[in-house]
C-alpha cells in the first residue's frame, strides 16, 4: 500500500520505512519540519519516495494514498490543506505518539484526545512504549502499543577505547530533560565520547580537555565531541567505547539506547520512563544516584571482561524484545486493519 508518513524521528522512521510498502515522505523546499524529505544521515530504501505538496494533491485526487501515519498534532491540518483529505474520514489514518507527556506526568490530556476522529476510534493512537500509553490521558480514544524495533547494526563492540559513549542531540538546550547535568557529572570522573547534533556546545560544561578529533588520544580525563555523524559511521565509532551512558531523565525511550545495546555495549542509565523495561539487570546499571553510575563506569573501564559480559546480555535482550521483524509485522497488521 502507499503510506503517507512525515520524517519526524529519524531512527523510528528508518525502522518504519524498511517495510514492504511504498512510503510517501513529504518534502518542502527548505526541508523544514513540514517536509524534511528522506533522511540524509540514515540509509533508507528506494521505496521511501519524496513527494511535494503538489504531488500529494495529485495522488489524493487519484485515490492513490492508502493510509496516513500522523505523528504531530498539526499534521492532520497539514494533510487536509495539502490533499483535501480528512484523516479518519476520507483516508484511513493512525496517530503515532512518540513522546511521554510534557506536562504533569499523570494528568496531561493528549492533544488529540477530544478530536472527533480520535475520540470515536476512527484514528487510533499508537504509543511506542507501554509507559507512554499508561501516562497519557487519552480519554475514550482507542490506544495501541507498538514497541520499538531496530535494524540490527551487528555486534560491533570492541571496547578498545577507555571511555563512555553517549548519544544526545542538543544537550545544552535540553539540559535537564536530556540529563545533561548528569552527563557532565559522570564526565567529571571518566572520559566521554559524545555524539549528536549540537554537542559542540558541551565543551564549556565538561571538566578536562575536549577535542572534536576522534583520533586524538585521551590522556587522563579527556573528552571527544562528535558532531552529527552519519548513523552507520557513528555505530562503528560508538562501539569502540567501553560502555554507554543514557542520561535522559524524561524521554519516551531513546532509540540510541537500544542501538547501543544491540552493538553489544553495557549500559548506564537512570531508572526513568521505559528504561527499567528496556535494560535488564544483567545488561547494565540503572540508578537514580549518579555516583553509582560513575562507580560502574570506572569498574568497566578497569574490567573489559565484565563490560563484555554485560554488553552481550544487552544485545541478547534487544534482539529478543525489540526485533525489527516483529515491529514491521505489528505495523503491517495495524495498517491492514485500519484500511480494511
Amino acid at each position: 500500500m502507499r503510506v503517507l508518513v512525515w520524517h519526524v524521528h529519524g531512527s523510528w522512521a528508518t525502522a518504519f520505512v524498511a517495510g514492504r510498502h511504498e512510503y510517501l515522505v513529504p518534502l518542502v523546499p527548505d526541508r523544514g519540519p513540514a517536509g524534511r524529505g528522506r533522511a540524509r544521515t540514515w540509509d533508507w530504501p528506494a521505496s521511501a519516495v519524496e513527494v511535494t505538496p503538489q504531488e500529494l494533491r495529485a495522488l489524493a485526487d487519484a485515490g492513490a494514498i492508502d493510509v496516513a501515519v500522523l505523528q504531530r498534532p498539526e499534521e492532520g491540518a497539514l494533510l487536509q490543506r495539502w490533499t483535501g483529505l480528512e484523516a479518519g474520514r476520507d483516508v484511513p489514518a493512525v496517530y503515532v505518539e512518540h513522546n511521554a507527556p510534557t506536562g504533569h506526568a499523570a494528568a496531561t490530556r493528549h492533544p488529540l484526545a477530544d478530536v472527533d476522529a480520535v475520540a470515536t476510534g476512527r484514528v487510533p493512537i499508537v504509543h511506542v512504549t507501554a509507559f507512554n500509553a499508561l501516562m497519557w490521558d487519552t480519554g475514550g480514544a482507542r490506544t495501541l502499543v507498538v514497541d520499538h524495533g531496530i535494524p540490527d547494526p551487528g555486534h560491533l563492540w570492541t571496547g578498545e577505547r577507555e571511555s563512555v559513549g553517549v548519544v544526545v542531540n542538543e544537550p545544552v538546550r535540553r539540559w535537564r530533560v536530556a540529563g545533561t547535568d548528569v552527563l557532565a557529572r559522570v564526565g567529571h570522573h571518566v572520559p566521554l565520547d559524545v555524539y549528536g547534533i549540537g554537542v559542540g556546545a558541551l565543551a564549556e560544561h565538561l571538566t578536562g580537555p575536549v577535542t572534536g578529533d576522534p583520533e586524538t588520544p585521551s590522556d587522563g580525563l579527556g573528552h571527544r565531541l562528535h558532531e552529527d555523524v552519519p548513523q552507520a559511521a557513528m555505530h562503528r565509532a560508538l562501539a569502540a567505547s567501553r560502555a554507554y551512558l543514557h542520561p535522559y531523565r524524561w524521554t519516551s525511550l531513546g532509540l540510541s539506547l537500544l542501538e547501543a545495546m544491540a552493538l553489544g555495549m553495557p549500559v548506564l542509565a537512570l531508572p526513568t520512563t521505559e528504561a527499567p523495561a528496556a535494560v535488564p539487570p544483567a545488561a547494565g546499571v540503572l540508578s537514580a544516584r549518579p555516583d553509582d553510575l560513575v562507580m560502574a563506569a570506572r569498574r568497566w573501564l578497569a574490567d573489559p571482561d565484565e563490560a563484555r559480559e554485560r554488553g552481550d546480555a544487552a544485545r541478547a535482550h534487544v534482539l529478543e524484545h525489540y526485533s525489527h521483524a516483529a515491529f514491521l509485522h505489528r505495523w503491517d497488521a495495524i495498517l491492514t486493519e485500519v484500511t480494511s
Side-chain angles (χ1 to χ4, degrees), residues 180-196:
T180 306
D181 57 318
V182 176
L183 180 157
R185 184 165 170 179
V186 172
H188 188 75
H189 302 280
V190 298
L192 302 175
D193 274 279
V194 187
Y195 301 81

Side-chain angles (χ1 to χ4, degrees), residues 66-90:
D66 296 308
V67 62
V69 176
L70 310 176
Q71 302 168 74
R72 296 167 294 182
E74 64 270 23
E75 288 181 6
L78 205 56
L79 170 70
Q80 195 161 13
R81 186 165 77 247
W82 286 356
T83 67
L85 303 177
E86 181 180 329
R89 186 191 68 182
D90 306 313

Side-chain angles (χ1 to χ4, degrees), residues 221-238:
L221 193 64
H223 311 291
R224 301 178 185 87
L225 306 178
H226 313 266
E227 182 72 29
D228 200 15
V229 180
Q231 187 187 43
M234 183 191 72
H235 284 162
R236 290 191 297 272
L238 181 64

Side-chain angles (χ1 to χ4, degrees), residues 8-339:
V8 178
H9 297 282
S11 289
W12 183 89
T14 299
F16 184 75
V17 302
R20 58 190 180 91
H21 309 290
E22 181 179 356
Y23 303 90
L24 307 175
V25 185
L27 173 68
V28 296
D30 66 353
R31 290 188 176 267
R36 292 192 175 101
R38 287 170 54 93
R40 292 177 166 184
T41 56
W42 285 270
D43 185 18
W44 283 17
S47 55
V49 181
E50 293 181 338
V51 287
T52 66
Q54 295 76 20
E55 291 168 332
L56 276 177
R57 171 66 73 163
L59 288 167
D61 290 345
I65 300 174
D66 296 308
V67 62
V69 176
L70 310 176
Q71 302 168 74
R72 296 167 294 182
E74 64 270 23
E75 288 181 6
L78 205 56
L79 170 70
Q80 195 161 13
R81 186 165 77 247
W82 286 356
T83 67
L85 303 177
E86 181 180 329
R89 186 191 68 182
D90 306 313
V91 63
V94 299
Y95 184 90
V96 181
E97 180 51 71
H98 290 281
N99 301 312
T102 55
H104 188 289
T108 299
R109 187 77 166 176
H110 195 277
L112 268 64
D114 301 308
V115 172
D116 182 67
V118 174
T120 57
R122 298 198 309 274
V123 176
I125 295 178
V126 183
H127 294 281
V128 298
T129 70
F131 180 88
N132 289 3
L134 175 71
M135 301 308 289
W136 277 109
D137 174 9
T138 52
R142 183 183 178 212
T143 59
L144 305 167
V145 176
V146 178
D147 289 319
H148 288 298
I150 62 167
D152 181 9
H155 194 302
L156 302 181
W157 181 88
T158 64
E160 62 196 60
R161 185 177 293 164
E162 292 187 10
S163 71
V164 173
V166 189
V167 178
V168 57
N169 289 330
E170 301 186 69
V172 173
R173 181 182 67 81
R174 302 166 65 208
W175 190 264
R176 283 186 59 81
V177 169
T180 306
D181 57 318
V182 176
L183 180 157
R185 184 165 170 179
V186 172
H188 188 75
H189 302 280
V190 298
L192 302 175
D193 274 279
V194 187
Y195 301 81
I197 298 170
V199 297
L202 270 176
E204 62 184 277
H205 301 282
L206 295 174
T207 302
V210 178
T211 177
D213 180 4
E215 300 305 321
T216 301
S218 177
D219 297 323
L221 193 64
H223 311 291
R224 301 178 185 87
L225 306 178
H226 313 266
E227 182 72 29
D228 200 15
V229 180
Q231 187 187 43
M234 183 191 72
H235 284 162
R236 290 191 297 272
L238 181 64
S241 288
R242 187 69 50 83
Y244 185 79
L245 171 65
H246 185 69
Y248 287 80
R249 274 189 177 84
W250 193 252
T251 186
S252 176
L253 176 59
L255 284 175
S256 58
L257 168 65
L258 300 182
E259 290 165 1
M261 293 171 69
L263 293 171
M265 302 184 75
V267 172
L268 306 162
L270 304 181
T272 58
T273 63
E274 191 79 358
V279 184
V285 173
L286 272 65
S287 178
R289 297 177 172 85
D291 288 348
D292 291 348
L293 305 182
V294 169
M295 285 191 293
R298 284 176 160 171
R299 188 172 72 248
W300 294 341
L301 293 184
D303 187 351
D305 289 336
E306 183 188 348
R308 180 183 297 104
E309 182 179 341
R310 297 286 192 126
D312 288 346
R315 175 170 167 78
H317 183 78
V318 164
L319 294 182
E320 179 179 357
H321 295 280
Y322 298 95
S323 156
H324 191 210
F327 170 83
L328 292 175
H329 179 75
R330 180 77 171 111
W331 267 109
D332 276 351
I334 290 174
L335 296 178
T336 299
E337 179 189 337
V338 299
T339 55

